[in-house]
């Protein structure tokens, strides 16, 4: 049996070989001899990071446990590469033309370069990938332990952890060395890709070798093998439709959206043409990887003792047959699967963490200092390395905390579902111009939250953050919120359930919010660039093969720059070219210079389009037009802003005009009011002055003196009352009145009013008051004094104005349920229709002034009082005599 | 024969005061308190002078004055206008209609006497 030490030595040699491959690849790329590094096959092989240790070892275990279902994990990507490779091509084209560095960057860039979206995607990726990295570490340490029992270590788990730690450290060193060597804007890592490609070959060869040994070495050929399969329980598993569909969908999504897949598929892609090779070669690779899964599983179940871990059949089968070399190869295959995944995942995650979280924070702390490019470069490298270390520490930490638990085994599919949450925003990004930043954020957050709630958190089991109680009955017993039966959806496989809900809510939120919100100009522009990527020219913007005539260029330049400036530019350029005369040769350099000059006046895009037009070599591309349109849009935006401003000013001017008119009107009203007041004050004062002068003369009879004193006295009282009324009205109108609510029956209040008007004694004629006693029993809670004041005013008016021979005032109370209606109807001739409108105005007096005896403020005061009490007073027309209706809401007026 | 003064005014106390002042001095004073029928009263009574209030029931003193001046028979009738509104604008309006004298309330009895003396001289 292979000893552990030999195995460690093999691993070390293998690792050194990988380092060398990566190093050589980097060297050659740096020397510009990257030719064979850019072969389509290398690209295809690098895509194999899809096949992690979970696929290498796990597929066999999966088949042993659930039969053919493992095939879905290969079917999804196969379908994408064969059927949807145009989607991949679009992604790759966008990735290149927009210099996309990660999936978070793509989402952020498309939705208006929103860093908050990038942060969301990054956090999601880290949360979903960390357990996945832990799973790889576990598989490596587990595979080491397969060789270890012979030495009888008592503390196996601790040993495994130590192994995992060393593996993590080694991977961190490798990734830092080859993942952060250069800061190419395209984020391509030739060394890493090369090493991954080598590992891809190793794991494929290892699995094929084990498979071949199982079929021809153990079973004795294809025929006997098929017989064994037929008899095995592996073939007996029933296919569960919903799980198959769900798994195919989720693995198809994951092959695009997993951070490491995006890294190799889009970011590391050197040539779009490689995709056409990959579209058949990668499915072929997957087919080869899955070819011997079933035979190995069947043989393992047959030969290995009961309870042996089917995940390790790839290793344990050769070992049980004493095929040490084969076992070592299998071990290297598994090791390759695990390490390639961890390396690429940590590069992808560290790029995201560093670019979208650490660097923005770092830059915000650098005020102005960041302009030194060396500083930024060093900071970026440091931040990238720190991020790699952090990702690795997270992965190891997760492994150390959860190793041995069931959680890890299931994490592969759980991570797939988590990664798939980016799919709606991604598809929307490249196919739907109406998709907005807010929509993307809403979808991502909704999908991710549902994923975490229904799948990720429950995966920790009852010892995790969700108790068995919680899983069984939902939070606080809310069964609609049970994590594995959300909104009462029971009977589904937990994975399918989580996938269904997260994708439905994710897509729903994305669509709904996108439709409700409006994209910003930046989002619109990026959206158009992404969705219509293929319509844009991908040719580099340099001037070659020009057919421009210098004279044409000069004519155009003069129009834009002005004659003198254009000519001096051309003459200088001609002199520099060593030409006599004023026309330079239209070389690419000169065209570039001219473009820059023109851009200063008309904008970069327009300048480019103009020169393109004259140069003729390249017709104006859609992209140029787009850029021109963008510039025009900006100008239009400015102009529309100006228009808005001017509209605002106009509106303000209008408001000022209105305010002025209102003030003028108020001023007129104030004049009229003062004029009225003046009249009301001067009239009694006239009598007072006149009679005082008469009295001062002396020579009067006693009876005359008596009479005139009385007039003076009466007029003084009239003045006082007028002033009282004015003050009262002013308080009521300003709303400064303090109400004093009391409770009394309507009957008692009317009694008080009637007593006050008839007991005054000075009324020339009495009036008969008829009341509907029965209805007056209602109890009111209001300012009763004020209400009585209103009643007195109305009754006094009737006494004054009712011109019937036998004056009578009927007071009728009635309740509508909500309001109290109180009608005061006399039998006089009423108020002339033309006066109805003015009786409630101040100083409105109808008819004989002497008879009225007041200043005409009574009804104005009544109206204000009723408004203050929440009711109203109005004149009722349909009666023959004068009729006033007082209404008061009962809910306000009734005693509590 | 005593000169006749017609008082067109709706405040009973003011009527009484002016009546007292003028009748003491020998004028025959009559009063009318409605604006609408004031012109008829003037026609009927044919006073030597009138004292005219502005704020009258149904018709304003300004309207009455304008009508007086537009009729040949009353064109030159002396009119003392008394108003409690006392704004400059009112005085100007009255003068433009051809008022003989304009006074604001409250007035001094002496002033009223002198003005009426002038008007009926």
């Amino acid at each position: 049996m292979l000893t552990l030490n030999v195995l460690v030595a093999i691993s070390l040699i293998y690792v050194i070989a990988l380092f060398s491959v990566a190093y050589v690849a980097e060297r050659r790329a740096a020397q510009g001899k990257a030719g064979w590094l850019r072969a389509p096959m290398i690209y295809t092989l690098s895509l194999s990071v899809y096949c992690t240790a979970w696929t290498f070892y796990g597929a066999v275990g999966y088949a042993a446990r659930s039969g053919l279902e493992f095939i879905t994990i290969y079917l999804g990507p196969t379908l994408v590469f064969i059927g949807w490779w145009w989607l991949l091509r679009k992604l790759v084209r966008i990735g290149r033309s927009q210099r996309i560095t990660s999936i978070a960057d793509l989402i952020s860039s498309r939705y208006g370069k929103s860093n908050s979206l990038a942060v969301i995607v990054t956090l999601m990726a880290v949360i979903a990938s960390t357990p996945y990295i832990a799973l790889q570490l576990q598989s490596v340490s587990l595979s080491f332990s397969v060789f270890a029992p012979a030495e009888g270590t008592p503390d196996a788990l601790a040993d495994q952890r130590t192994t995992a730690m060393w593996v993590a450290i080694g991977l961190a060193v490798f990734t830092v060395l080859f993942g952060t060597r250069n800061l190419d804007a395209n984020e391509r890592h030739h060394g890493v890709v090369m090493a991954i490609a080598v590992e891809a070959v190793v794991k494929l060869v290892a699995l094929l070798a084990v498979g071949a040994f199982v079929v021809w070495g153990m079973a004795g050929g294809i025929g006997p093998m098929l017989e064994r399969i037929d008899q095995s329980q592996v073939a007996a598993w029933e296919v569960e439709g919903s799980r198959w569909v769900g798994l195919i969908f989720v693995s198809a999504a994951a092959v695009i959206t997993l951070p490491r897949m995006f890294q190799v598929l889009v970011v590391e892609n050197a040539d779009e043409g490689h995709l056409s090779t990959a579209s058949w070669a990668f499915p072929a690779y997957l087919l080869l990887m899955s070819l011997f899964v079933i035979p190995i599983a069947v043989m393992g179940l047959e030969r290995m003792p009961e309870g042996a871990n089917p995940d390790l059949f790839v290793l344990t089968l050769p070992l049980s047959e004493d095929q040490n070399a084969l076992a070592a190869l299998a071990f290297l295959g598994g090791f390759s699967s695990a390490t390639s995944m961890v390396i690429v995942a940590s590069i992808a995650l560290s790029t995201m963490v560093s670019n979208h979280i650490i660097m923005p924070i770092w830059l915000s702390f650098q005020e102005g200092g960041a302009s030194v490019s060396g500083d930024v470069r060093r900071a970026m490298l440091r931040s990238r390395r720190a991020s790699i270390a952090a990702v690795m520490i997270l992965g190891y930490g997760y492994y150390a905390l959860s190793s041995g638990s069931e959680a890890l085994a299931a994490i592969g599919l759980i991570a797939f579902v988590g990664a798939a949450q980016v799919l709606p925003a991604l598809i929307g990004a490249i196919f739907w111009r109406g998709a907005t930043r807010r929509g993307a954020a809403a979808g991502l957050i909704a999908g991710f939250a549902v994923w975490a709630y229904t799948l990720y958190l429950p995966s920790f089991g009852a010892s995790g953050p969700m108790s068995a109680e919680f899983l069984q009955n939902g939070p606080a017993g809310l069964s609609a919120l049970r994590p594995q039966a959300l909104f009462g959806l029971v009977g589904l496989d937990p994975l399918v359930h989580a996938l269904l809900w997260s994708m439905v809510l994710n897509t729903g939120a994305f669509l709904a919010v996108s439709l409700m919100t409006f994209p910003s100009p930046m989002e619109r522009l990026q959206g158009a660039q992404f969705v219509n990527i293929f319509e844009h020219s991908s040719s580099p913007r340099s001037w070659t093969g020009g057919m421009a005539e210098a004279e044409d260029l000069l004519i155009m330049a003069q129009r834009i720059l002005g004659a003198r400036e254009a000519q001096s530019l051309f003459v200088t350029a001609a002199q520099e070219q060593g030409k006599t005369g004023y026309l330079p040769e239209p070389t690419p350099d000169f065209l570039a210079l001219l473009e820059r000059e023109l851009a200063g006046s008309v904008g970069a895009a327009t300048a480019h389009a103009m020169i393109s037009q004259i140069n003729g070599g390249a017709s104006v591309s859609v992209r140029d037009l787009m850029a021109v349109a963008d510039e025009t849009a900006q100008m239009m935006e400015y102009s529309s802003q100006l228009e808005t401003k001017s509209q605002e000013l106009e509106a303000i001017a209008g408001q000022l005009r209105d305010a002025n008119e209102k003030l003028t009107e108020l001023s007129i009203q104030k004049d009229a009011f003062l004029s009225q007041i003046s009249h009301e004050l001067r009239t009694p004062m006239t009598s007072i002055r006149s009679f005082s002068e008469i009295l001062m003369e002396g020579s009067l009879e006693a009876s005359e003196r008596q009479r005139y004193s009385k007039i003076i006295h009466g007029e003084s009282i009239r003045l006082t009352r007028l002033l009282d009324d004015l003050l009262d009205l002013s308080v009521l109108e300003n709303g400064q009145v303090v109400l004093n609510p009391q409770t009394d029956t309507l009957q008692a209040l009317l009694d008080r009013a009637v007593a006050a008007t008839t007991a005054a004694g000075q009324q020339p004629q009495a009036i008969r008051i008829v009341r509907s006693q029965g209805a007056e029993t209602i109890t009111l809670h209001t300012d009763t004094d004020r209400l009585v004041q209103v009643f007195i005013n109305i009754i006094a008016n009737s006494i004054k104005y009712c011109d019937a021979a036998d004056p009578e005032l009927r007071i009728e109370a009635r309740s509508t349920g909500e309001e109290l209606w109180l009608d005061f109807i006399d039998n006089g001739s009423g108020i002339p229709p033309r006066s109805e409108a003015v009786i409630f105005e101040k100083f409105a007096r109808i008819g004989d002034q002497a008879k009225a005896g007041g200043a005409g403020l009574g009804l104005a005061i009544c109206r204000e009082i009723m408004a203050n009490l929440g009711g109203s007073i109005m004149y009722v027309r349909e009666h023959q005599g004068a009729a006033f209706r007082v209404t008061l809401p009962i809910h306000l007026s009734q005693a509590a | 024969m005593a000169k006749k003064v017609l008082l067109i005014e709706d405040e009973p106390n003011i009527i009484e005061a002016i009546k007292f002042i003028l009748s003491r001095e020998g004028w025959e004073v009559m009063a009318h308190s409605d604006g609408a029928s004031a012109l008829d009263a003037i026609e009927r009574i044919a006073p030597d002078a009138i004292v005219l209030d502005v704020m009258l029931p149904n018709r304003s003193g300004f309207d009455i004055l304008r009508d007086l001046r537009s009729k040949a028979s009353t064109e030159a009738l002396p009119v003392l206008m008394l108003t409690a509104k006392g704004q400059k604008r009112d005085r100007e309006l009255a003068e433009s209609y051809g008022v003989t004298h304009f006074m604001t309330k409250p007035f001094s009895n002496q002033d009223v006497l002198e003005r009426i003396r002038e008007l009926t001289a």
Side-chain angles (χ1 to χ4, degrees):
Chain A
M1 172 127 186
L2 212 59
T3 66
L4 192 63
N5 286 336
V6 173
L7 199 70
V8 170
I10 292 173
S11 307
L12 277 177
I13 292 166
Y14 180 65
V15 168
I16 291 168
L18 281 182
F19 269 73
S20 314
V21 165
Y23 180 73
V24 170
E26 284 288 335
R27 277 286 293 275
R28 291 192 66 95
Q31 291 162 0
K33 298 183 215 157
W36 62 277
L37 294 174
R38 292 181 147 208
M41 263 314 160
I42 303 290
Y43 176 68
T44 307
L45 285 173
S46 74
L47 293 177
S48 77
V49 287
Y50 180 75
C51 303
T52 65
W54 177 57
T55 336
F56 187 85
Y57 292 122
V60 173
Y62 203 146
R65 290 190 197 96
S66 319
L68 269 178
E69 198 174 279
F70 80 94
I71 210 85
T72 54
I73 303 306
Y74 298 102
L75 273 179
T78 301
L79 290 176
V80 168
F81 270 81
I82 293 174
W84 279 13
W85 76 281
W86 45 272
L87 181 145
L88 300 178
R89 204 177 120 227
K90 191 164 190 178
L91 274 178
V92 168
R93 173 74 68 86
I94 290 170
R96 270 221 320 202
S97 73
Q98 299 279 325
R99 303 198 153 187
I100 298 299
T101 61
S102 66
I103 189 159
D105 190 32
L106 179 111
I107 297 288
S108 142
S109 177
R110 157 63 179 83
Y111 296 107
K113 314 210 164 166
S114 150
N115 196 54
S116 46
L117 266 184
V119 171
I120 293 173
V121 177
T122 302
L123 290 178
M124 284 170 63
V126 170
I127 292 173
S129 299
T130 299
Y132 208 166
I133 291 174
L135 178 68
Q136 309 305 315
L137 296 177
Q138 187 192 36
S139 80
V140 173
S141 59
L142 210 59
S143 61
F144 265 111
S145 73
V146 168
F147 296 88
E151 303 184 5
T153 325
D155 199 357
L157 199 62
D159 262 7
Q160 280 186 31
R161 281 197 188 150
T162 316
T163 315
M165 190 181 79
W166 283 110
V167 171
I169 292 173
L171 288 172
V173 170
F174 180 91
T175 314
V176 166
L177 277 183
F178 294 101
T180 62
R181 275 178 73 88
N182 54 351
L183 277 177
D184 180 22
N186 293 322
E187 296 291 344
R188 285 194 204 114
H189 308 91
H190 297 287
V192 173
V193 170
M194 202 59 220
I196 300 298
V198 170
E199 292 196 304
V201 174
V202 170
K203 60 191 176 192
L204 182 63
V205 168
L207 206 55
L208 290 178
V210 174
F213 170 72
V214 165
V215 173
W216 286 281
M218 292 173 75
I222 296 173
M225 186 70 233
L226 288 178
E227 277 170 37
R228 282 168 195 266
I229 292 173
D230 279 343
Q231 287 157 13
S232 165
Q233 66 184 83
V234 170
W237 287 100
E238 278 182 27
V239 169
E240 198 185 320
S242 68
R243 247 182 97 84
W244 272 67
V245 172
L247 289 175
I248 289 175
F249 171 80
V250 83
S251 55
V255 80
I256 305 169
T257 58
L258 277 171
R260 67 170 191 279
M261 287 313 293
F262 192 86
Q263 178 77 27
V264 289
L265 190 66
V266 176
V267 181
E268 305 281 0
N269 176 286
D271 186 337
E272 227 173 274
H274 292 175
L275 262 180
S276 55
T277 306
S279 70
W280 62 264
F282 184 58
Y285 183 93
L286 293 178
L287 179 72
L288 290 175
M289 283 296 280
S290 59
L291 205 55
F292 291 109
V293 169
I294 291 286
I296 296 172
V298 169
M299 195 57 82
L301 286 171
E302 200 180 298
R303 294 282 176 89
M304 297 309 291
E306 194 83 4
N309 186 352
D311 283 338
L312 293 172
F313 282 170
V314 176
L315 276 181
T316 48
L317 269 177
L319 275 181
S320 68
E321 299 288 314
D322 281 331
Q323 294 287 334
N324 284 346
L326 188 59
L329 183 61
F331 169 81
L332 284 184
F335 184 77
S336 298
S337 309
T339 52
S340 58
M341 180 274 166
V342 176
I343 290 164
V344 180
S346 59
I347 287 179
L349 291 177
S350 71
T351 306
M352 284 153 74
V353 170
S354 170
N355 285 3
H356 301 299
I357 298 179
I358 298 183
M359 285 313 283
I361 294 173
W362 184 81
L363 285 174
S364 72
F365 283 115
Q366 304 287 308
E367 281 170 29
S371 56
V372 188
S373 64
D375 272 6
V376 179
R377 204 187 142 74
R378 217 174 305 132
M380 276 199 73
L381 279 175
R382 228 178 278 144
S383 125
R384 191 69 62 80
R385 284 168 186 164
S387 305
I388 290 173
V391 166
M392 216 63 87
I393 289 169
L394 272 178
Y396 175 73
Y398 190 95
Y399 160 75
L401 286 176
S402 67
S403 60
S405 78
E406 283 297 305
L408 227 42
I411 207 69
L413 278 176
I414 294 175
F416 274 28
V417 178
Q421 299 309 321
V422 183
L423 191 68
L426 182 75
I427 298 292
I430 64 176
F431 291 111
W432 185 32
R433 291 177 65 166
T436 70
R437 180 173 60 83
R438 286 168 198 281
L444 284 169
I445 291 171
F448 193 67
V450 173
W451 169 76
Y453 187 72
T454 57
L455 195 60
Y456 189 63
L457 295 179
S459 78
F460 292 94
S463 60
M466 287 181 172
S467 64
E469 218 291 309
F470 190 100
L471 287 170
Q472 190 67 38
N473 299 327
L478 288 169
S479 62
L481 293 179
R482 274 176 292 168
Q484 293 178 333
L486 207 56
F487 309 128
L489 187 67
V490 289
L492 269 185
D493 174 76
L495 187 97
V496 178
H497 168 266
L499 179 67
L500 184 68
W501 275 124
S502 63
M503 290 316 282
V504 164
L505 294 177
N506 181 338
T507 312
F510 174 56
L511 293 176
V513 177
S514 283
L515 290 173
M516 282 188 297
T517 52
F518 204 70
S520 69
M522 185 63 145
E523 283 176 74
R524 250 177 295 167
L525 191 68
Q526 287 294 94
Q529 295 264 6
F530 275 54
V531 173
N532 303 325
I533 189 80
F534 289 121
E535 293 163 25
H536 300 161
S537 156
S538 60
S539 63
R541 290 162 70 106
S542 68
W543 300 107
T544 48
M547 300 189 293
E549 291 290 336
E551 206 159 350
D552 293 341
L553 289 172
L554 180 60
I555 291 168
M556 178 187 70
Q558 281 177 336
R559 278 193 195 154
I560 293 163
L561 301 173
R564 197 186 302 165
E565 203 169 318
Q567 281 162 14
S568 88
L569 177 76
F570 274 62
V571 169
T572 315
Q575 280 169 357
E576 276 172 13
Q577 288 179 0
K579 284 190 68 176
T580 49
Y582 62 95
L583 286 177
E585 204 63 41
T587 60
D589 282 347
F590 175 69
L591 288 174
L593 170 78
L594 184 60
E595 185 182 337
R596 276 199 303 278
E597 289 293 325
L598 294 180
S601 301
V602 294
T606 314
H608 186 80
M610 287 171 137
I611 294 184
S612 298
Q613 199 67 282
I614 293 177
N615 202 32
S619 64
V620 181
S621 70
V622 175
R623 181 197 214 150
D624 297 329
L625 288 180
M626 285 278 310
V628 172
D630 184 34
E631 281 173 5
T632 318
Q634 275 179 8
M635 280 185 241
M636 279 167 68
E637 201 168 312
Y638 286 136
S639 118
S640 89
Q641 275 172 6
L642 280 177
E643 209 169 290
T644 316
K645 279 267 152 57
S646 103
Q647 277 169 0
E648 275 169 16
L649 283 176
E650 225 165 82
I652 290 171
Q655 283 169 3
L656 283 176
R657 251 198 319 274
D658 289 352
N660 195 30
E661 263 170 37
K662 205 169 248 174
L663 279 177
T664 312
E665 199 177 310
L666 278 177
S667 162
I668 290 169
Q669 279 180 8
K670 190 197 73 184
D671 285 351
F673 182 69
L674 283 178
S675 165
Q676 280 285 1
I677 296 273
S678 162
H679 181 263
E680 297 305 324
L681 289 173
R682 281 165 190 271
T683 302
M685 286 192 32
T686 306
S687 304
I688 292 172
R689 179 170 178 184
S690 199
F691 282 112
S692 320
E693 285 181 5
I694 292 168
L695 284 174
M696 282 187 321
E697 289 168 17
S699 60
L700 284 177
E701 288 171 21
S703 66
E704 277 176 326
R705 223 173 25 239
Q706 170 90 30
R707 178 174 164 72
Y708 297 156
S709 306
K710 204 174 161 190
I711 290 175
I712 292 173
H713 181 248
E715 295 285 23
S716 310
I717 288 171
R718 183 173 157 191
L719 267 179
T720 314
R721 204 167 57 221
L722 171 68
L723 291 174
D724 285 346
D725 281 359
L726 275 174
L727 289 177
D728 204 12
L729 190 63
S730 150
V731 167
L732 284 164
E733 276 186 340
N734 292 336
Q736 293 166 340
V737 62
V738 180
L739 295 177
N740 173 28
Q742 285 172 314
T743 307
D744 214 337
T745 61
L746 176 61
Q747 188 169 25
L749 299 182
L750 282 171
D751 284 347
R752 267 163 67 186
V754 170
T757 44
T758 51
Q762 64 225 40
Q763 309 301 337
Q765 72 224 67
I767 193 163
R768 191 170 66 252
I769 294 176
V770 183
R771 288 166 57 182
S772 53
Q773 302 288 350
E776 290 176 11
T777 51
I778 186 165
T779 304
L780 301 175
H781 183 73
T782 184
D783 189 328
T784 50
D785 290 343
R786 287 292 189 181
L787 193 56
V788 168
Q789 191 183 347
V790 173
F791 295 163
I792 289 175
N793 229 298
I794 301 172
I795 297 171
N797 274 347
S798 258
I799 292 171
K800 269 187 243 168
Y801 294 109
C802 182
D803 49 5
D806 181 18
E808 179 188 284
L809 177 68
R810 277 183 295 134
I811 304 177
E812 295 176 355
R814 121 180 100 103
S815 159
T816 65
E818 286 173 4
E819 284 186 321
L820 165 69
W821 287 17
L822 196 58
D823 288 354
F824 295 80
I825 309 160
D826 71 21
N827 59 347
S829 53
I831 293 170
R834 65 184 163 87
S835 304
E836 277 172 23
V838 299
I839 52 175
F840 291 107
E841 298 304 320
K842 292 187 278 274
F843 304 112
R845 240 171 338 197
I846 302 161
D848 194 344
Q849 187 154 356
K851 208 171 171 186
L857 294 174
L859 284 175
I861 290 174
C862 288
R863 187 181 60 176
E864 292 300 328
I865 289 175
M866 290 317 298
N868 273 288
L869 296 183
S872 66
I873 178 170
M874 59 178 175
Y875 184 74
V876 186
R877 181 173 230 181
E878 62 251 35
H879 299 281
Q880 200 212 325
F884 288 91
R885 173 170 298 158
V886 173
T887 57
L888 204 59
I890 287 174
H891 68 272
L892 281 177
S893 57
Q894 218 158 16
Chain B
M1 184 182 157
K3 294 271 173 93
K4 282 192 283 192
V5 173
L6 178 59
L7 187 55
I8 304 174
E9 166 69 65
D10 64 333
E11 270 288 323
N13 288 337
I14 296 177
I15 295 173
E16 184 162 356
I18 294 177
K19 255 190 179 166
F20 181 85
I21 303 160
L22 294 183
S23 46
R24 250 192 340 190
E25 303 291 323
W27 279 283
E28 186 185 347
V29 184
M30 277 151 290
H32 187 83
S33 1
D34 179 58
S37 55
L39 280 175
D40 296 340
I42 295 167
E43 194 99 357
R44 194 174 65 240
I45 295 166
D48 295 294
I50 61 173
V51 176
L52 182 59
D53 185 23
V54 173
M55 299 271 282
L56 289 164
N58 304 325
R59 193 139 196 255
S60 95
F62 290 121
D63 290 349
I64 295 168
L65 175 64
R66 200 182 50 209
D67 284 1
L68 283 179
R69 291 297 180 243
S70 63
K71 272 175 28 182
S73 58
T74 54
E75 198 180 16
L77 182 66
V79 174
L80 169 63
M81 205 159 201
L82 290 177
T83 174
K85 288 173 86 178
Q87 278 170 322
K88 201 177 160 204
R89 210 175 47 233
D90 292 336
R91 176 183 286 272
E92 284 163 4
L93 187 64
E95 279 167 0
S96 77
Y97 284 156
V99 76
T100 324
H101 270 298
F102 188 88
M103 287 176 72
T104 50
K105 293 175 183 174
F107 46 79
S108 109
N109 293 351
Q110 198 55 42
D111 283 352
V112 171
L113 262 179
E114 277 168 20
R115 290 288 98 76
I116 295 295
R117 266 194 203 116
E118 276 172 36
L119 295 185
T120 54

